[in-house]
Amino acid sequence: MSAGITTVTSTDYIIHHLTNLSHGEGLWQVNIDTLFFSIALGAVFLTIMGLAARRATSGVPGGLQNFAEILVEFVDRQVKDTFHGRNPVIAPLALTIFCWVFLWNLMDLVPVDVLPEFGKLLGVHYLRVVPSTDLNATFGLSLTVLLLIVFYSLKVKGPVGYAKELLTHPFGPYLFPANLLLNVVELLAKPISLALRLFGNLYAGEMIFILIALMYGAGWLLGPLAGVLQLGWAIFHLLIITLQAFIFMVLTIVYLSMAHEESH
């Protein structure tokens, strides 16, 4: 091997694509790429919906208005079918979660080398472009849902009513230690399941795209096969990314609906 030439193995390639652009260490580590793409995609969502609102007309609607109305009606229908309380915040929250998580996931369809290679031109050596493949992002969103669950439980049921629910259900007041343990485990399981489900599905999808990308450099036989596999997986992955955004939204609505139920 000539001096100055470095061989990049498959393992190096995978590790490079799974490494975040980060700052700090340990508990204080911040994944800059996750924050950047999350904020950027949030801005995209706000811009699109803002344009739709400004261009809204009572006459013949344009394509953007039709798209926004279909999206809003779809989310509103899910809220009406699932949420049994009264809270004007739930529908906008559900719409935001669905669109934001979908845009997170949609970044997985960008060819794995395009943005990282562009980042190298700017001096950025590590760049992960799919926020939902970062456990910090999925847990951050699910912990926000947990805080909303606790907030509305306290607001609707009151501190005494919520404490009574935690201590007396399902086994009655005399087994309050068991009741409290089960209810706390159930409460903590909600954000954990939300975060891990989204992270696991998108992480697996990202790995498959990376492995397919490796096939392009594996010779004339696997190169064309990689193209077919990438197209097929991308089409199938469209269903996965939409379904994961939908599941996260619906479970959030269900959990908040349970938080609004009055104690008996």
Side-chain angles (χ1 to χ4, degrees):
M1 186 66 65
S2 301
I5 298 178
T6 303
T7 302
V8 178
T9 66
S10 298
T11 301
D12 295 332
Y13 180 83
I14 293 172
I15 291 175
H16 180 270
H17 279 75
L18 295 180
T19 302
N20 286 97
L21 174 65
S22 60
H23 176 73
E25 296 181 356
L27 185 62
W28 306 109
Q29 177 176 315
V30 176
N31 291 337
I32 300 172
D33 44 11
T34 297
L35 287 175
F36 172 79
F37 285 108
S38 295
I39 294 171
L41 293 170
V44 168
F45 165 66
L46 292 175
T47 301
I48 292 174
M49 299 306 288
L51 285 174
R54 284 194 293 271
R55 296 179 181 178
T57 176
S58 57
V60 179
L64 182 60
Q65 183 178 341
N66 277 326
F67 169 76
E69 288 180 354
I70 291 172
L71 186 60
V72 170
E73 289 175 4
F74 166 73
V75 173
D76 191 54
R77 185 167 60 251
Q78 302 305 318
V79 173
K80 289 179 178 177
D81 292 342
T82 310
F83 186 77
H84 305 299
R86 288 188 178 183
N87 191 331
V89 174
I90 303 303
L93 174 67
L95 177 65
T96 301
I97 286 177
F98 177 77
C99 293
W100 203 19
V101 173
F102 176 79
L103 290 173
W104 278 6
N105 300 347
L106 190 63
M107 294 297 291
D108 210 13
L109 297 183
V110 178
V112 295
D113 288 319
V114 171
L115 292 179
E117 289 298 323
F118 180 74
K120 286 181 181 178
L121 298 177
L122 301 177
V124 178
H125 299 291
Y126 295 103
L127 192 68
R128 292 186 72 181
V129 303
V130 189
S132 42
T133 60
D134 184 355
L135 199 54
N136 296 287
T138 59
F139 258 112
L141 191 57
S142 65
L143 287 176
T144 302
V145 174
L146 174 64
L147 291 177
L148 289 173
I149 292 171
V150 175
F151 172 77
Y152 283 115
S153 294
L154 290 170
K155 182 178 180 180
V156 173
K157 302 166 187 176
V160 175
Y162 189 41
K164 182 179 178 182
E165 179 181 282
L166 293 176
L167 295 173
T168 62
H169 292 83
F171 301 127
Y174 297 108
L175 292 176
F176 70 88
N179 293 329
L180 181 61
L181 177 62
L182 286 176
N183 284 311
V184 169
V185 170
E186 179 186 5
L187 186 64
L188 295 179
K190 292 174 181 176
I192 292 174
S193 63
L194 281 175
L196 293 182
R197 182 186 296 106
L198 179 60
F199 166 76
N201 279 276
L202 270 296
Y203 187 89
E206 181 187 38
M207 277 297 303
I208 291 176
F209 277 123
I210 292 173
L211 293 175
I212 292 174
L214 280 171
M215 295 174 66
Y216 279 108
W220 65 270
L221 181 61
L222 291 181
L225 177 61
V228 175
L229 290 175
Q230 188 168 43
L231 177 61
W233 179 244
I235 295 173
F236 177 70
H237 204 53
L238 273 172
L239 174 63
I240 295 176
I241 65 178
T242 306
L243 182 61
Q244 289 305 312
F246 177 76
I247 290 174
F248 203 108
M249 176 193 71
V250 169
L251 288 179
T252 298
I253 299 171
V254 170
Y255 294 154
L256 291 176
S257 179
M258 294 169 61
H260 282 72
E261 293 177 356
E262 296 282 355
S263 301
H264 299 288

